[in-house]
Every structure is written in C-alpha cells, then in structure tokens.
C-alpha cells in the first residue's frame, strides 16, 4: 500500500512539473531547457514533500484522523508559508527576479527612510509572493490528495465488507447453535482445510488429532491417518466451533466426547470410539466449562 502511494505521488509530481515547465512562455536568461525542467521538478518536489509531511502530522490529531478533506485543506494552508519561504530562497539563490523586482518597485526614493522602508518592503513582498504562489500550491495539493481519497474509499469499502461478513458469520454461528440441523459439518475432510494434507479424504467425521513426533495422527470413527505436519498448524486449520485442544499433543471434537474419568489423579476424556485422551492442567478449566455439567448428568443417570 505504501509503495503504491509513493509511486502515485511521484507520478503526479513528475506530471505536474512537466506541465508547468512546458507552459512557461519564456526561459530565464542563460537557462537551458533542461535547467527549466529541473527547476520545476525541484520546486514541485519541495512543495509535495511539505504538503505530505504536514498531512501526516495533522492526520494524527484527535478528531481529524482519517478525515481526508479537513486534513488536506489544513495541510495545504499550513504548508503554504514554508513553501513560499523555500521557493523565495531558491529563487534568490538562482537569481530569479520575482522577489527582487517586487522589492525594487516598492522601495521609497528617500534615503533617510531606506532602512525602515526596506524592512517593510521585504515583508510586503513576501506576502505578495505567498499570494502569487497560492493558486499553484493549492492546485498541486488537491492533485496529491487524490491518492489519499482513493485509499480511504478502498479501506472504507473493505471495512464495510469485512463487517458484513463478520456479522453474517456471527449469525450463522448463532443459527447453528440454536438449530442442530444447521451445525457445521466441516469436520468431514473433503480436500479443503486440514483435508488437503491427505492423499484421499478421511472417512467419517474427525474425532481427535494426536501429535506424534513430526507427524500428526487424524482419527475418525472408521479411519486413521498419519500426516507429516506440525500439530499446531493443523489445529489452527480445524473449525474452532467443533472442537478444542485439551493437551499439548491432543485435540478432540466436541461430538466425540462421551464422558470423563480420572486415573492416578489425572483427568481423561472418554471418546465414543473407546479411546481416552489426557487433559493437561493448562486446559482443565476449559474442559470443565465445556463438559463438566454433561459429565455430572451422566454420572447421576448411571447411579
């Protein structure tokens, strides 16, 4: 995004400099065509740098952040004075007559007031220079605001789309919770998600995942596969609404758990395929929150 913005601003500055140089009717005495184009390029780059710098600073002011037009207008007005100072200094260094001509025409003829008048004349000449440069400066600032408007519009549309999708996902999750017929069936490996790591789809619903050295074992009711993959990565690809990690090496599907048991002071989850999965202390509270009431009800039913 930043590279694209820099490229757009550079292109706009080059285009503006070429147009301004081409539209100048007369070249200063002794200047070549290359000197004229170089002068306008430097001038436009100074102008653009000041505007963008002030834009970025003002954009961080509370109440103005991400409000493109107020920030752009403020940055254009504030950057006008340092821009006029910079161009005045550049013109004086290069010997251009704009400010000198204004000063000479404004000076009084009386020698006794030369010092005072000279000071007043320079100040007046500078403000005339500001007025003279304002239309050019504001036009370029408007041109450089265009990429910002495009980025803001794109981000707004993207944010709105993401918000809509998030609201849709939330509604889908709520519907699947209230209606069992709408529950997620993504635990069936179909070549997407974790299923893409398998040469052939896993038969049946996934019950548990177990880390074994550099491999991961995927277990369903009727199938079992070994995959060369990181356990944490494959767990991250599993649907969070259908299961949970209960141990550093084990993940279980909620639908697979039929009860809990303790052996030697350690908590185990009993799965419907007859296997047992250990629960580490780190995940014990989450397991109790998820399965505690169901287990208590099962114990009462057995008694």
């Amino acid at each position: 995004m930043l590279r694209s913005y820099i490229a757009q601003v550079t292109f706009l500055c080059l285009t503006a400099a070429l147009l301004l140089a081409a539209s100048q009717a007369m070249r200063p005495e002794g200047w070549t065509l290359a000197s004229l184009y170089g002068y306008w390029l430097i001038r436009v780059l100074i102008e653009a740098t000041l505007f963008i710098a002030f834009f970025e600073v003002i954009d961080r002011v509370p109440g103005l952040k991400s409000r493109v037009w107020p920030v752009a207008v403020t940055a254009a007005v504030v950057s006008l004075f340092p821009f006029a100072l910079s161009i005045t200094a550049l013109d004086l260094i290069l010997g251009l007559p704009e400010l000198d001509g204004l000063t000479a025409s404004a000076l009084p003829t009386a020698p006794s007031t030369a010092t005072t008048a000279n000071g007043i004349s320079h100040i007046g000449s500078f403000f005339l220079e500001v007025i003279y440069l304002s239309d050019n400066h504001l036009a370029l600032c408007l041109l450089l605001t265009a990429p910002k408007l495009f980025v803001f519009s794109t981000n707004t549309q993207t944010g709105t789309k993401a918000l809509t999708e998030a609201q849709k996902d939330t509604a889908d999750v709520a519907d699947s919770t209230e209606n069992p017929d709408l529950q997620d069936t993504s635990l069936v490996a179909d070549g997407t998600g974790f299923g893409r790591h398998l040469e052939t789809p896993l038969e049946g619903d996934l019950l548990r995942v177990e880390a074994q050295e550099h491999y991961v074992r995927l277990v369903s009711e009727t199938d079992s596969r070994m995959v060369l993959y990181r356990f944490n990565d494959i767990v991250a690809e599993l649907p969070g609404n259908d299961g949970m990690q209960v141990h550093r090496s084990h993940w279980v599907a909620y639908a697979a758990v039929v009860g809990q048991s303790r052996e030697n002071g350690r908590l185990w989850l009993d799965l419907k395929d007859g296997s047992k999965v250990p629960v580490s202390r780190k995940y014990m509270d989450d397991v109790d929150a998820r399965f505690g009431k169901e287990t208590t009800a099962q114990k009462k039913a057995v008694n």
Side-chain angles (χ1 to χ4, degrees):
M1 185 69 71
L2 179 59
R3 290 182 179 180
S4 175
Y5 175 67
I6 293 175
Q8 292 174 24
V9 169
T10 302
F11 174 77
L12 292 174
C13 288
L14 289 174
T15 303
L18 292 175
L19 290 174
L20 289 169
S23 62
Q24 184 164 335
M26 297 180 60
R27 294 199 302 267
E29 185 178 354
W31 280 37
T32 64
L33 187 61
S35 300
L36 180 64
Y37 278 89
Y39 167 78
W40 279 107
L41 179 60
I42 293 173
R43 177 168 168 163
V44 169
L45 288 176
I46 292 173
E47 192 171 5
T49 300
L50 288 169
F51 171 71
I52 293 172
F54 278 105
F55 188 103
E56 294 300 326
V57 171
I58 296 171
D59 190 44
R60 288 169 170 77
V61 175
L64 290 178
K65 186 173 180 60
S66 299
R67 299 177 62 185
V68 178
W69 279 117
V71 173
V73 171
T74 305
V77 173
V78 173
S79 62
L80 175 59
F81 289 92
F83 166 65
L85 284 171
S86 302
I87 298 307
T88 299
L90 179 64
D91 290 350
L92 288 174
I93 292 172
L94 296 176
L96 294 179
E98 291 180 0
L99 185 61
D100 289 343
L102 289 171
T103 302
S105 61
L107 281 175
T109 56
S112 59
T113 59
T115 302
T116 305
N118 188 45
I120 296 173
S121 177
H122 277 294
I123 294 174
S125 297
F126 172 71
F127 278 102
L128 288 175
E129 184 80 353
V130 170
I131 295 173
Y132 174 77
L133 295 173
S134 61
D135 57 345
N136 175 287
H137 177 70
L138 295 176
L140 182 64
C141 292
L142 177 63
L143 192 64
L144 296 179
T145 304
K148 289 285 187 181
L149 290 172
F150 176 77
V151 171
F152 177 76
S153 176
T154 302
N155 290 342
T156 302
Q157 293 176 1
T158 302
T160 303
K161 182 178 179 181
L163 179 60
T164 302
E165 292 178 351
Q167 292 172 341
K168 182 180 178 181
D169 292 342
T170 302
D172 291 343
V173 171
D175 290 341
S176 64
T177 302
E178 297 173 359
N179 189 350
D181 295 334
L182 298 178
Q183 286 185 354
D184 188 14
T185 58
S186 57
L187 285 179
V188 180
D190 58 356
T192 61
F194 71 92
R196 74 178 187 275
H197 305 297
L198 304 175
E199 294 182 359
T200 57
L202 187 70
E203 297 179 3
D205 293 341
L206 183 66
L207 300 181
R208 63 186 179 89
V209 179
E210 179 182 354
Q212 295 185 356
E213 297 294 336
H214 300 294
Y215 289 83
V216 175
R217 180 184 294 278
L218 303 171
V219 181
S220 71
E221 294 179 342
T222 58
D223 199 357
S224 178
R225 303 287 182 84
M226 292 288 288
V227 181
L228 181 61
Y229 207 67
R230 291 181 57 187
F231 175 75
N232 290 338
D233 292 341
I234 206 164
V235 166
E237 297 177 357
L238 292 167
N241 294 329
D242 294 322
M244 63 185 296
Q245 185 175 351
V246 297
H247 187 275
R248 67 178 182 179
S249 303
H250 293 276
W251 180 95
V252 297
Y254 294 142
V257 179
V258 296
Q260 301 180 37
S261 60
R262 286 190 177 273
E263 296 181 8
N264 299 324
R266 187 169 191 177
L267 180 64
W268 297 75
L269 292 178
D270 302 323
L271 306 188
K272 61 183 179 181
D273 66 340
S275 61
K276 292 180 177 290
V277 174
V279 178
S280 64
R281 190 177 302 274
K282 176 181 178 181
Y283 300 98
M284 195 167 296
D285 291 340
D286 294 336
V287 170
D288 288 342
R290 177 72 190 185
F291 303 109
K293 293 182 180 180
E294 296 177 5
T295 304
T296 301
Q298 290 171 356
K299 286 182 178 180
K300 288 182 179 180
V302 172
N303 293 334

